[in-house]
Amino acid sequence: TPISVLQKSGLSVTVKSGYVKTIDGLSEFEHGANSGWMYGVNGVYPKTGADSFKLKDGDGVCWKYTNDGGTDIGAGTGEETETLIEDKKDCADKLELIKAALVKKSELSAWELYALCASGVKADASKLGAVIKEVGEQQGNIRKPTDIAKYALTVKAAGGDPENAGGYNLIAMLYGNKNLLLQGNNGPIFALITLNSGYYNIPENALWTKQRLKEYIISAQNDDGGYSLVKSGKSDADITAMALQALALYRGQAGAKATIDKALDFLSKNQQDNGGFISDGVNNSESAAQAVIALTALGIDPFSDKRFIKNNSTALSALGTFLRKDNTFSHLSGGESDGMATEQGAMALAAMCRFVSGAAPIFEIEPYYYDDLGSASAWAIDPIVKATKSAIVNGSDGMFRPKSDVTRAEFAAMLSRMLGLDGSGLSTAFSDVKDGSWYKNAVAAAYERKIIEGSNGFFYPDRKITREEMAVMISRAVKLAAGDRTPGDSGSVSSWALAGVKASFSARIMEGSGNAFRPSERVTREMAATVCQRSAAYAK
């Protein structure tokens, strides 16, 4: 027990009726009516008597002297915390209690509203209106980038339009923000999280594109794998977890994966024996919450991944020690209710419950559909999603395979879906397009519209399509005007394809590298999805 450990410490101890009165000459009531000794186990102050609390191997015991009933040492005012969150059912049960408490509130903070929406509660119009009103009251002069991100994410989750929140474009306020770095690494981190939360048209020449934000965050990593508020500062568990949340979508990309792995290693090494994390020198609820959000965003189960289980404790069991009986969270275990702690605790439980149910991570309220989307090029992610929503492209087994080559039959099918063509009952002049083949109707419809011609009575459906072939098919499909922009490698374009290449190149439906078109290069699925998505506007 804590008392028996104390008695073996070699200090002078006075105990009466299971209560520690004096340690090393310092006695109870010596500094006021509420002064005396209190014990903590793994950073938590239990309500069980020190003579009966049963310790287990690896527990850390700390005795502290308080002047005012525990408040000054983080033990609170006697408000008893809930039991630990031991499993996924506990997460769901606790989240239901928190949701019920939040729904009853007449006013919600933006993050509280986000947590509710992420938990599946339909946003009350008045609650969304209150957030938009808050934006309007600042007349577009929102100083902190993280506040802009907070408003944008919440408006989106609650069914509003972040690009027109009370007349203000919150998305543009992020990608064009000249002061994004004034808040340290938090600015780029939450800007990237926000820009990836929806399908926004971000100008290629924007001050902060998603690619630039990603590269900045990767470059800001410290040598120990962690992140600090400012570059090269002391690594912090909170900032590291937030950086992981921002990079989660890119975990399939080599450069981002190496960064993520190092950051996860830092987080694992800095997890405490009670499963929690320390920030600014204290074991607190917000750090545990951010870790849970990060892990679930990366598809990692906090309850089963051995890297994040210490002394049989997890980040969620640690988080449970900050949950009060009134269904709010405290910053320190046993402390008073704290607004920020409650927001982040609710978000963490919502993130865990979304993970368990197979829903998208908490900052991806609008799902990205494919498990391997993070391996797509940054410029292709939004077009792939938009083309999927428009039923132009699709994947299989939850995968899109963005780097795989596209056949001529597959691209004909994409074009037919983009244009809404129906080739049922139509025939083709191609001897290698058989009745009953999955692509027959699509090829027949494209042939009937003179989008494809083939060669010598053959279509070659299984041959990998080249960029110049795709350019010709696209220019015919959407009837592009003749182009006046010529790529630098036009001399390597086949004569029959030059008009189509110039048309698609001039319309910027197809781009190359620099001024090179690369006509004979094979087309990947991410290229085809992007070109179809760009062409769709011309087809209307």
Side-chain angles (χ1 to χ4, degrees):
T1 68
I3 283 184
S4 65
V5 169
L6 179 63
Q7 289 172 327
K8 294 177 182 178
S9 68
L11 294 170
S12 173
V13 179
T14 303
V15 179
K16 183 176 180 180
S17 301
Y19 176 73
V20 173
K21 296 174 68 65
T22 304
I23 299 178
D24 211 25
L26 181 58
S27 301
E28 63 174 334
F29 308 137
E30 210 170 298
H31 293 275
N34 292 318
S35 64
W37 290 99
M38 296 182 69
Y39 78 96
V41 179
N42 303 324
V44 178
Y45 290 87
K47 304 307 172 188
T48 306
D51 60 339
S52 57
F53 186 98
K54 299 300 182 184
L55 297 169
K56 60 181 182 297
D57 212 21
D59 280 344
V61 182
C62 180
W63 284 87
K64 289 187 177 183
Y65 192 88
T66 175
N67 289 328
D68 57 1
T71 302
D72 55 337
I73 62 171
T77 57
E79 175 68 40
E80 187 176 354
T81 56
E82 290 287 339
T83 56
L84 298 183
I85 298 173
E86 300 287 8
D87 54 32
K88 295 168 184 177
K89 183 178 183 303
D90 285 344
C91 288
D93 291 344
K94 297 296 189 293
L95 182 59
E96 287 302 315
L97 294 172
I98 292 170
K99 283 163 57 177
L102 290 176
V103 167
K104 291 178 181 178
K105 292 182 67 173
S106 57
E107 294 183 8
L108 293 174
S109 70
W111 282 131
E112 286 175 335
L113 179 57
Y114 191 97
L116 271 182
C117 294
S119 303
V121 177
K122 185 174 176 58
D124 184 292
S126 65
K127 300 294 192 298
L128 172 58
V131 174
I132 293 175
K133 181 183 177 183
E134 213 173 303
V135 172
E137 287 172 346
Q138 298 175 70
Q139 299 181 339
N141 297 314
I142 305 173
R143 188 175 63 86
K144 292 182 179 180
T146 52
D147 282 346
I148 300 172
K150 171 182 69 177
Y151 291 131
L153 287 165
T154 301
V155 168
K156 173 72 173 176
D161 181 4
E163 294 179 292
N164 183 18
Y168 296 99
N169 187 337
L170 296 168
I171 301 304
M173 288 166 66
L174 281 176
Y175 67 64
N177 199 309
K178 295 179 181 179
N179 298 318
L180 196 67
L181 300 181
L182 292 183
Q183 222 177 333
N185 290 327
N186 265 353
I189 285 171
F190 274 92
L192 185 57
I193 288 172
T194 304
L195 297 186
N196 273 328
S197 69
Y199 312 125
Y200 306 114
N201 294 316
I202 302 168
E204 292 181 7
N205 63 348
L207 181 61
W208 291 101
T209 62
K210 291 192 284 189
Q211 180 68 15
R212 187 184 174 198
L213 288 166
K214 182 189 77 170
E215 291 171 354
Y216 181 91
I217 295 168
I218 289 174
S219 72
Q221 187 172 40
N222 291 335
D223 291 341
D224 62 2
Y227 280 82
S228 51
L229 186 59
V230 294
K231 277 189 174 183
S232 302
K234 183 180 179 181
S235 293
D236 178 84
D238 278 29
I239 307 297
T240 302
M242 293 172 189
L244 284 169
Q245 294 164 32
L247 295 175
L249 183 63
Y250 305 98
R251 59 188 178 275
Q253 298 180 3
K257 184 180 185 304
T259 301
I260 289 168
D261 288 345
K262 283 181 64 178
L264 285 171
D265 186 56
F266 170 85
L267 212 57
S268 174
K269 288 177 179 177
N270 284 274
Q271 188 177 23
Q272 304 301 299
D273 284 344
N274 75 332
F277 297 86
I278 289 177
S279 181
D280 289 333
V282 295
N283 199 322
N284 65 94
S285 65
E286 293 92 325
S287 295
Q290 291 299 332
V292 171
I293 296 171
L295 295 179
T296 53
L298 289 163
I300 296 171
D301 188 342
F303 281 121
S304 62
D305 193 299
K306 293 181 179 179
R307 293 173 296 175
F308 298 98
I309 302 174
K310 303 294 163 61
N311 195 30
N312 293 320
S313 298
T314 68
L316 281 155
S317 62
L319 182 62
T321 66
F322 301 94
L323 182 57
R324 293 158 44 92
K325 280 190 172 181
D326 62 0
N327 297 313
T328 65
F329 284 87
S330 57
H331 171 61
L332 300 175
S333 181
E336 296 181 354
S337 179
D338 182 88
M340 184 180 293
T342 298
E343 292 170 346
Q344 295 187 27
M347 294 274 281
L349 290 179
M352 187 64 206
C353 289
R354 291 177 68 86
F355 174 83
V356 172
S357 69
I362 193 166
F363 288 125
E364 297 173 27
I365 295 297
E366 199 165 0
Y368 272 89
Y369 298 99
Y370 305 113
D371 292 340
D372 61 347
L373 195 58
S375 65
S377 300
W379 49 263
I381 290 176
D382 282 354
I384 289 171
V385 172
K386 289 175 180 175
T388 299
K389 292 182 71 176
S390 302
I392 295 172
V393 299
N394 51 54
S396 60
D397 302 322
M399 308 290 279
F400 185 75
R401 299 173 178 84
K403 305 297 184 183
S404 296
D405 293 334
V406 176
T407 66
R408 287 168 54 81
E410 288 171 337
F411 192 67
M414 291 181 191
L415 286 180
S416 293
R417 290 193 289 264
M418 181 186 79
L419 298 171
L421 304 180
D422 182 7
S424 301
L426 298 178
S427 60
T428 73
F430 306 127
S431 59
D432 55 354
V433 178
K434 306 297 184 182
D435 287 342
S437 60
W438 70 265
Y439 49 78
K440 184 265 176 185
N441 288 346
V443 172
Y447 179 74
E448 196 263 346
R449 283 278 296 265
K450 302 188 184 315
I451 296 171
I452 57 177
E453 293 178 352
S455 177
N456 299 319
F458 291 91
F459 178 64
Y460 305 105
D462 297 323
R463 193 174 73 190
K464 303 295 191 288
I465 191 170
T466 64
R467 285 174 55 82
E468 66 179 7
E469 288 175 327
M470 181 167 70
V472 170
M473 292 170 70
I474 279 290
S475 64
R476 291 172 178 167
V478 297
K479 298 180 173 55
L480 290 177
D484 56 4
R485 184 170 170 242
T486 304
D489 56 351
S490 59
S492 60
V493 178
S494 302
S495 57
W496 54 265
L498 186 58
V501 167
K502 289 179 67 175
S504 61
F505 192 65
S506 298
R508 300 187 184 279
I509 288 175
M510 291 185 67
E511 300 281 359
S513 177
N515 196 39
F517 187 79
R518 307 192 307 276
S520 59
E521 183 177 296
R522 287 180 174 179
V523 174
T524 61
R525 283 175 56 78
E526 67 179 11
M527 288 182 195
T530 300
V531 166
C532 285
Q533 183 58 34
R534 290 174 179 171
S535 302
Y538 289 84
K540 293 178 181 178

